[in-house]
Amino acid sequence: MVISNRILEQNNFSIRLLLEKELQHTKSVMVDMEDAVFWVKPDAEFLYANDAACSLVRYSREELLSMTMYDIKPDFSPAVWSKHWTTIKEKGYLYFESLYRTKEDQTFPVEITIIYLEYNSTEYGCILIRNISQRQHTSIVLQEVNEVLECKVQQLIAELRNANQQLYCEKVLRQQVEMALEQEKLLNEYKAHFFSMLSHEFRTPLNIISLSASLLKRHLHRWTEEKKLQYLQRLEMAVEQISQLMDEIFLNAKAEARKLKLEPKPLNLIQLCSEILTEMNLNESNATCLMPTDPFDSSFCEESRHLPLSRESAPKGELSSKKSIFFNNSGQQNSFPISASLETPDYTVTLISQGDCTACVDQKLLQPILRNLLSNAVKYSPNDSTIDLIVSHRDEEVIFQIKDRGIGISVGDQQRLFKPFHRGTNVGNIPGNGLGLALVKKFVDLHGGQISVASKVGVGTTFTITLPVQ
């Protein structure tokens, strides 16, 4: 038995010498490494340890070479080592972290890497052990610093969020103030336009009333009854003009306040258009006699058989240019004369009907729409021109088109066409208050319809009104 043990010891010693001889060329590299390096046999017996390994485990090299892994790490049992060695052989390496306890009973974390090696059919492992206490301490410190920074970042984010909220509130408040100032500015401009328009529009009929009343008073006993009647008619027309202007202002105010209600009823559209054109003829016929060039000359007011139509009442001391409307009706279903011209008229209004022109609409809103557009077509058209009024009923819509060959509307003016008191830059001295189209737009919107314009300066303008059938 003793002989056998001696033979085994000699064999182990021979193997150790062989391995130590083969490892001599690596010692110069491993001895200076900062990490602890161990060479072990498959049974966990140490073959080599560098200076860092000795310093780590607090054993001399001679002591370590007579020891095994189980001696320096008691919880590293043979069963655990056997399992690790199997894994090392399969994968070629093994990495894990653990706690190491020195012989002075000091504990610190380490990372362990075991590499499988085979040389001349002999297996052994190279173990690299690194003390990661400083790294873990640094990691903990960094984690604490990160937590502190995260808290500060969250705090800064909260402060920035509050600051942004305050800035947003200030921005909204500033926008509201700017909007209020802009609205106030627009309101002041609106008021200025309004009072300017009132002053301008009321001046002519008031002058007519004043002059006619003065002449009647002065010549009451000299004039014939017919002459007196003419001046009384002028008074009535001047009052009617003021009344119509007040009606427009009142309707515009009600539309702005959303107090107008849509009340659609079945209506013959051709008959309505005919009545509007007839009314325009009658009103404008009387309008031509409003202002005489010579108040004592009665010849200016001889009754015209042309059903004359003036653009607007002329300024004091000027005679209104006489404009006549002749309108005819042509269409697929209703073809009948509305009015006859006894002599050559200054304007021709052609009323064209397409389809069944009976629809359910609000007459009180539709009348001012058509009256304003037709009046503008006449006002801004030259003599001897033709104006088309086309009425059609398609599917669930009724469409009105008013087409003139007048002065046209520039592209720039079309952008502000429906703003109250806005007038075209090319209207010259043609009178107007700028309320008509704004009122038309409001009434069309109230109907739930649409209005569009196609125009070219010097060629003419076409307004298209599309209203849904109620």
Side-chain angles (χ1 to χ4, degrees):
M1 184 68 178
V2 174
I3 295 174
S4 299
N5 288 337
R6 286 181 179 178
I7 294 173
L8 182 59
E9 288 177 359
Q10 288 177 354
N11 291 336
N12 290 338
F13 181 72
S14 299
I15 295 173
R16 179 178 295 175
L17 288 177
L18 177 62
L19 290 173
E20 288 181 352
K21 182 180 179 180
E22 297 294 338
L23 295 175
Q24 287 299 318
H25 69 282
T26 63
K27 287 184 178 181
S28 60
V29 178
M30 293 185 293
V31 73
D32 296 328
M33 290 181 65
E34 294 182 358
D35 295 337
V37 180
F38 299 90
W39 290 84
V40 296
K41 296 191 295 184
D43 59 359
E45 183 181 350
F46 290 114
L47 292 174
Y48 171 78
N50 67 353
D51 293 342
C54 298
S55 176
L56 178 69
V57 298
R58 306 291 196 271
Y59 289 103
S60 66
R61 186 175 287 105
E62 290 75 15
E63 289 177 316
L64 283 174
L65 294 180
S66 64
M67 300 170 66
T68 65
M69 288 282 291
Y70 318 130
D71 298 322
I72 65 172
K73 190 170 177 54
D75 58 339
F76 210 62
S77 64
V80 175
W81 171 252
S82 177
K83 184 178 179 181
H84 284 341
W85 185 256
T86 303
T87 303
I88 293 168
K89 289 183 66 175
E90 290 177 354
K91 294 185 176 182
Y93 72 96
L94 178 66
Y95 171 85
F96 59 93
E97 293 183 2
S98 180
L99 288 175
Y100 177 73
R101 188 183 301 274
T102 67
K103 65 180 180 180
E104 291 87 4
D105 203 28
Q106 294 180 349
T107 304
F108 53 86
V110 294
E111 64 176 14
I112 301 173
T113 304
I114 306 175
I115 303 173
Y116 175 77
L117 298 171
E118 185 177 351
Y119 186 77
N120 288 336
S121 301
T122 302
E123 297 177 333
Y124 55 93
C126 179
I127 304 175
L128 290 85
I129 301 178
R130 177 177 295 178
N131 187 341
I132 59 174
S133 300
Q134 185 63 33
R135 191 174 75 185
Q136 286 197 348
H137 175 70
T138 302
S139 178
I140 292 172
V141 171
L142 287 175
Q143 184 176 357
E144 291 175 352
V145 172
N146 285 336
E147 290 176 356
V148 172
L149 289 175
E150 182 68 24
C151 291
K152 289 185 177 180
V153 168
Q154 293 298 329
Q155 183 178 357
L156 288 173
I157 290 175
E159 292 176 357
L160 285 174
R161 188 179 291 112
N162 292 334
N164 286 335
Q165 185 67 26
Q166 291 178 357
L167 288 174
Y168 176 75
C169 293
E170 291 177 2
K171 181 180 178 181
V172 171
L173 182 61
R174 184 166 59 251
Q175 289 177 343
Q176 291 176 345
V177 171
E178 291 175 354
M179 188 179 298
L181 291 174
E182 184 66 23
Q183 289 178 346
E184 183 178 0
K185 180 182 177 181
L186 291 175
L187 181 60
N188 290 334
E189 292 179 358
Y190 186 92
K191 288 180 179 178
H193 281 297
F194 179 75
F195 289 119
S196 175
M197 180 271 297
L198 281 182
S199 175
H200 176 77
E201 293 298 318
F202 278 98
R203 184 180 294 115
T204 299
L206 287 176
N207 285 340
I208 293 171
I209 293 173
S210 176
L211 179 60
S212 297
S214 176
L215 290 173
L216 281 172
K217 184 177 180 181
R218 184 182 306 174
H219 304 287
L220 181 63
H221 301 292
R222 292 172 44 194
W223 282 352
T224 64
E225 291 300 321
E226 182 180 1
K227 185 76 169 180
K228 295 176 185 177
L229 182 60
Q230 290 175 358
Y231 276 87
L232 288 174
Q233 288 176 343
R234 294 173 202 167
L235 287 171
E236 289 179 353
M237 280 302 303
V239 172
E240 180 64 24
Q241 285 185 1
I242 294 175
S243 177
Q244 288 181 358
L245 181 59
M246 292 302 297
D247 286 343
E248 284 191 359
I249 295 172
F250 178 70
L251 286 173
N252 187 70
K254 287 190 69 175
E256 290 284 353
R258 301 181 183 276
K259 293 183 178 180
L260 283 176
K261 294 182 179 180
L262 184 65
E263 298 175 347
K265 295 179 181 178
L267 188 65
N268 186 318
L269 302 179
I270 297 302
Q271 182 178 349
L272 175 66
C273 294
S274 303
E275 292 173 355
I276 292 173
L277 290 172
T278 303
E279 179 186 347
M280 289 176 65
N281 260 327
L282 292 176
N283 288 343
E284 301 300 340
S285 171
N286 292 327
T288 59
C289 293
L290 284 176
M291 291 297 297
T293 304
D294 180 1
F296 299 100
D297 183 7
S298 61
S299 61
F300 78 95
C301 196
E302 291 181 358
E303 183 178 359
S304 172
R305 302 182 65 184
H306 292 77
L307 296 178
L309 173 63
S310 65
R311 294 178 181 270
E312 290 285 343
S313 298
K316 185 175 180 180
E318 296 181 10
L319 178 65
S320 302
S321 58
K322 295 183 180 180
K323 304 294 178 183
S324 302
I325 295 181
F326 169 74
F327 48 96
N328 57 54
N329 182 10
S330 60
Q332 296 180 356
Q333 294 186 10
N334 299 319
S335 179
F336 56 92
I338 297 174
S339 176
S341 172
L342 302 180
E343 297 181 15
T344 303
D346 291 331
Y347 296 98
T348 300
V349 177
T350 303
L351 176 59
I352 303 172
S353 62
Q354 298 176 349
D356 181 12
C357 293
T358 300
C360 200
V361 294
D362 191 329
Q363 181 174 350
K364 73 176 185 300
L365 299 181
L366 183 57
Q367 275 182 326
I369 291 174
L370 297 177
R371 188 182 295 114
N372 270 290
L373 293 178
L374 287 168
S375 176
N376 285 347
V378 171
K379 185 190 302 183
Y380 300 111
S381 294
N383 294 341
D384 300 324
S385 62
T386 300
I387 298 166
D388 295 332
L389 172 55
I390 305 172
V391 185
S392 58
H393 191 174
R394 303 173 187 171
D395 299 329
E396 300 299 321
E397 294 177 337
V398 59
I399 302 171
F400 299 89
Q401 279 190 317
I402 295 91
K403 181 178 181 180
D404 65 53
R405 283 81 176 172
I407 62 175
I409 306 169
S410 68
V411 175
D413 285 329
Q414 290 180 37
Q415 305 301 319
R416 303 182 59 196
L417 194 59
F418 302 108
K419 300 292 183 182
F421 304 111
H422 175 74
R423 301 196 69 212
T425 54
N426 60 337
V427 298
N429 295 323
I430 302 175
N433 55 48
L435 274 178
L437 288 179
L439 201 59
V440 167
K441 181 67 166 62
K442 288 185 176 68
F443 290 168
V444 171
D445 291 342
L446 192 59
H447 260 101
Q450 294 180 338
I451 180 171
S452 62
V453 58
S455 184
K456 186 175 181 181
V457 174
V459 176
T461 302
T462 299
F463 280 94
T464 301
I465 308 290
T466 304
L467 302 180
V469 177
Q470 302 296 324

